[in-house]
Amino acid sequence: ETRVDLLGAAALVTAGFIFTGATLLQRRWSVQPAKGGMFAGLSVQMMTGGLVSTAITLVGPGYLHAPMTASAFLGLAWLTVVSSLGGFAGYAVVLKHWPAARAGSFAVLTPVLSVLLGVALLDEAFTARSAAGVAITLASVAWVQTRMERAAAQ
């Protein structure tokens, strides 16, 4: 039997709405800290996200349920430095040149890339559920991209 944590599910849905709203506002307002450029903007966004996550962790039950081993620490460092900074920077660049819907559709490819890297580099299992998630995500991104191209052509 699969159980769904309703608070976790609500947090994911809320995060999606916040992400969408922030994307639209950033595009509309061209949010960049004064004289700091894109990387200053990314720093402010990441720091804000880190502070909010830390506050939630301090008042909630926390989310670190396993010991912090060397490999866990390296994984966290990878996610923080490469995935977060690279992802945020790439997204900010794409958002400058593409409509928000088109740029946002690429943000959902991060989990697909993570799953595929885990399978290829860390010998993680690729289950039927993983395959379904990857297929649904790729199909959704392709659908958004083709609709955006059709709308631009008209």
Side-chain angles (χ1 to χ4, degrees):
E1 176 184 329
T2 302
R3 296 188 58 190
V4 174
D5 178 3
L6 293 180
L7 183 59
L12 285 172
V13 171
T14 302
F17 281 113
I18 291 171
F19 180 79
T20 301
T23 295
L24 294 173
L25 290 175
Q26 180 176 0
R27 182 135 173 96
R28 175 176 287 174
W29 295 340
S30 296
V31 175
Q32 297 295 335
K35 299 182 183 178
M38 180 180 72
F39 287 105
L42 296 175
S43 298
V44 169
Q45 290 175 26
M46 291 186 73
M47 186 180 304
T48 302
L51 290 173
V52 169
S53 295
T54 300
I56 290 170
T57 301
L58 291 174
V59 299
Y63 54 84
L64 184 60
H65 301 290
M68 184 55 83
T69 62
S71 63
F73 180 78
L74 289 173
L76 183 61
W78 171 268
L79 286 173
T80 301
V81 176
V82 177
S83 183
S84 295
L85 288 176
F88 266 108
Y91 184 69
V93 169
V94 167
L95 189 58
K96 278 185 167 184
H97 302 288
W98 284 357
R102 188 173 192 188
S105 69
F106 278 100
V108 300
L109 292 177
T110 303
V112 171
L113 181 60
S114 297
V115 166
L116 297 177
L117 284 173
V119 170
L121 301 177
L122 301 174
D123 200 30
E124 291 185 4
F126 190 72
T127 64
R129 184 180 284 183
S130 301
V134 166
I136 290 169
T137 302
L138 293 177
S140 300
V141 170
W143 181 70
V144 168
Q145 295 301 315
T146 55
R147 293 204 30 114
M148 295 299 297
E149 288 175 13
R150 284 185 199 153
Q154 292 179 354

